[in-house]
Amino acid sequence: MSSRLQLSPGIIGRFLLQLPRNSTGETFSLDVNLALPGRGVTGIFGTSGSGKTTLLRCVAGLQPCDHGSLVVNGDRWQCPENKRNTLPVHRRPLGFVFQQPSLFPHLTAEANLAFARKRAHEKIAEPEYRKIVDLMGVGHLLNQYPSALSGGEQQRIAIARALLIKPRLLLMDEPLASLDQIRKREILPYLEQLHRNLDIPVLYVSHSVEEISRLADHLLLMENGKISREGAATELLSRIDFPVQLGDDLGVVLEAQIVERENQWHLVKARFSGGELWLRDSGEATGETIRLRILARDISLTRSEDHHSSILNRLPVKVLEICSDTDPAMVLVRLQPRPGNGDARLAGATPLIARITRRSAHQLYLSEGCELCAQIKSVAIVK
């Protein structure tokens, strides 16, 4: 967990309740303690039935919870000792975005936003309204009715509507779950922009590694109604022993800065704590900080650096650990970027993870401490 997250918890809560899971009388228990950052995105991740949505409903006040307490950035929203100090749902200054946009079908997009604007806890000035409309890229959709909009466009209107309430906390419950892959990729850049510009805490429920790795600063991993792990998202998602089986999604998440652009080849160079990587140019500005995912399946290993290869990215690494994979034909190799050209800072870089066959590990004579070259295709790096 980073020091920023440790020093400024803004959401402090405790929820303990039991709910009937099905008609057979089986119960589901939620038992969580929260101490979360007061800004940024906290991802709530886990398999179906782990309690993600129940937790979000408790925070919103939609799920009755006699043994629950909640303080958001210094304001008490829920108190088990004194029910009169517990805010009802309609008085909690929060925005909620569900899986389905739930727009009023008889109103235009603009009228849907106007409805939220009237319910705002504070008056929304016209410049602020325009900023939110521009942020979500919905200005050209305002005269349309929901039936004329795509699923991604409807969800962008729904997010803008939630922001126009002027919430102190934004709750998002799998907002992309009902969208196909094309619509998800259409809306993710808007969510990333929202992440960069929003100055309130966001709780983001998802079971998608792609969404969590692109958006979350902090991460809660839920299992059986409890928080099994929590910490900085980039750290937890980069662990070989991550408790949820990620399969082909296993990899690492890195923060990098754009330092160079090759217009001729439509490539940019991004520098991270372990070196530099060439990747496709998506229009980022030089100096901009971006988040990258390097999947374990996309790293190959070689004993010597091959300059006659189509692979542009070659990083000197040292083997930290060799672990069994769930597939008996494969192993996972943790790799530490090692200092090159006198740069001792690489010794503290985020380790990479490679998935290779056992046969390849045998042919390379892999062992802990040996030095290699990690090769990463530019086209395989996920932004």
Side-chain angles (χ1 to χ4, degrees), residues 242-312:
F242 193 71
V244 177
Q245 292 297 324
L246 299 182
D248 283 347
D249 284 325
L250 179 67
V252 298
V253 181
L254 305 170
E255 299 283 348
Q257 185 180 49
I258 303 297
V259 295
E260 187 178 334
R261 171 169 276 103
E262 282 279 4
N263 292 323
Q264 179 181 1
W265 310 116
H266 305 285
L267 296 172
V268 291
K269 182 188 287 185
R271 180 176 296 149
F272 73 107
S273 59
E276 296 176 337
L277 298 167
W278 286 103
L279 51 146
R280 288 173 290 181
D281 187 351
S282 300
E284 300 88 352
T286 301
E288 182 176 344
T289 298
I290 61 173
R291 188 174 288 191
L292 305 175
R293 286 179 69 211
I294 302 177
L295 301 180
R297 67 188 184 196
D298 294 325
I299 296 180
S300 65
L301 302 177
T302 177
R303 279 284 184 175
S304 59
E305 191 171 349
D306 184 0
H307 292 279
H308 300 285
S309 167
S310 64
I311 300 177
L312 292 179

Side-chain angles (χ1 to χ4, degrees), residues 21-307:
R21 190 189 291 270
N22 52 41
S23 57
T24 65
E26 182 184 359
T27 60
F28 170 77
S29 297
L30 182 74
D31 183 1
V32 298
N33 272 314
L34 301 172
L36 304 178
R39 67 183 305 275
V41 177
T42 294
I44 303 175
F45 183 78
T47 57
S48 296
S50 60
K52 304 185 300 295
T53 295
T54 302
L55 172 57
L56 218 63
R57 288 175 57 83
C58 285
V59 172
L62 294 169
Q63 174 62 57
C65 183
D66 291 335
H67 304 286
S69 62
L70 180 64
V71 176
V72 178
N73 285 335
D75 292 337
R76 183 169 293 280
W77 289 13
Q78 192 160 330
C79 179
E81 293 84 13
N82 189 343
K83 297 296 178 65
R84 284 182 294 184
N85 287 341
T86 294
L87 293 179
V89 179
H90 67 277
R91 290 187 56 204
R92 299 191 183 195
L94 57 82
F96 209 134
V97 181
F98 300 91
Q99 292 183 23
Q100 300 295 335
S102 302
L103 301 176
F104 295 117
H106 62 290
L107 298 179
T108 64
E110 186 171 30
N112 269 276
L113 298 184
F115 178 83
R117 199 173 173 182
K118 291 176 183 176
R119 293 182 59 242
H121 296 279
E122 301 173 28
K123 181 177 175 59
I124 299 284
E126 188 62 23
E128 190 171 4
Y129 171 76
R130 296 310 314 176
K131 179 182 177 181
I132 291 172
V133 167
D134 292 343
L135 185 65
M136 297 311 301
V138 296
H140 65 294
L141 305 174
L142 295 179
N143 293 327
Q144 301 291 325
Y145 285 88
S147 59
L149 303 177
S150 70
E153 290 169 340
Q154 289 185 44
Q155 198 64 302
R156 280 154 52 197
I157 294 291
I159 296 170
R161 182 177 63 179
L163 294 175
L164 285 169
I165 296 174
K166 290 211 74 169
R168 300 270 316 275
L169 172 65
L170 181 61
L171 307 178
M172 307 186 82
D173 187 12
E174 303 208 45
L176 308 187
S178 63
L179 304 178
D180 59 33
Q181 200 61 32
I182 293 176
R183 299 304 177 203
K184 284 183 182 180
R185 288 177 178 163
E186 166 198 310
I187 199 172
L188 267 170
Y190 290 99
L191 293 180
E192 288 175 318
Q193 189 175 357
L194 185 69
H195 176 204
R196 289 192 293 268
N197 287 274
L198 204 59
D199 198 32
I200 62 171
V202 180
L203 301 188
Y204 190 100
V205 165
S206 180
H207 61 266
S208 165
V209 179
E210 179 185 10
E211 294 172 36
I212 292 294
S213 63
R214 288 181 66 169
L215 299 172
D217 303 297
H218 193 72
L219 181 60
L220 301 182
L221 178 64
M222 294 201 64
E223 293 182 283
N224 299 318
K226 296 183 178 181
I227 298 171
S228 62
R229 302 262 183 109
E230 71 169 301
T234 52
E235 294 175 13
L236 284 184
L237 289 171
S238 299
R239 294 179 63 100
I240 286 180
D241 61 348
F242 193 71
V244 177
Q245 292 297 324
L246 299 182
D248 283 347
D249 284 325
L250 179 67
V252 298
V253 181
L254 305 170
E255 299 283 348
Q257 185 180 49
I258 303 297
V259 295
E260 187 178 334
R261 171 169 276 103
E262 282 279 4
N263 292 323
Q264 179 181 1
W265 310 116
H266 305 285
L267 296 172
V268 291
K269 182 188 287 185
R271 180 176 296 149
F272 73 107
S273 59
E276 296 176 337
L277 298 167
W278 286 103
L279 51 146
R280 288 173 290 181
D281 187 351
S282 300
E284 300 88 352
T286 301
E288 182 176 344
T289 298
I290 61 173
R291 188 174 288 191
L292 305 175
R293 286 179 69 211
I294 302 177
L295 301 180
R297 67 188 184 196
D298 294 325
I299 296 180
S300 65
L301 302 177
T302 177
R303 279 284 184 175
S304 59
E305 191 171 349
D306 184 0
H307 292 279

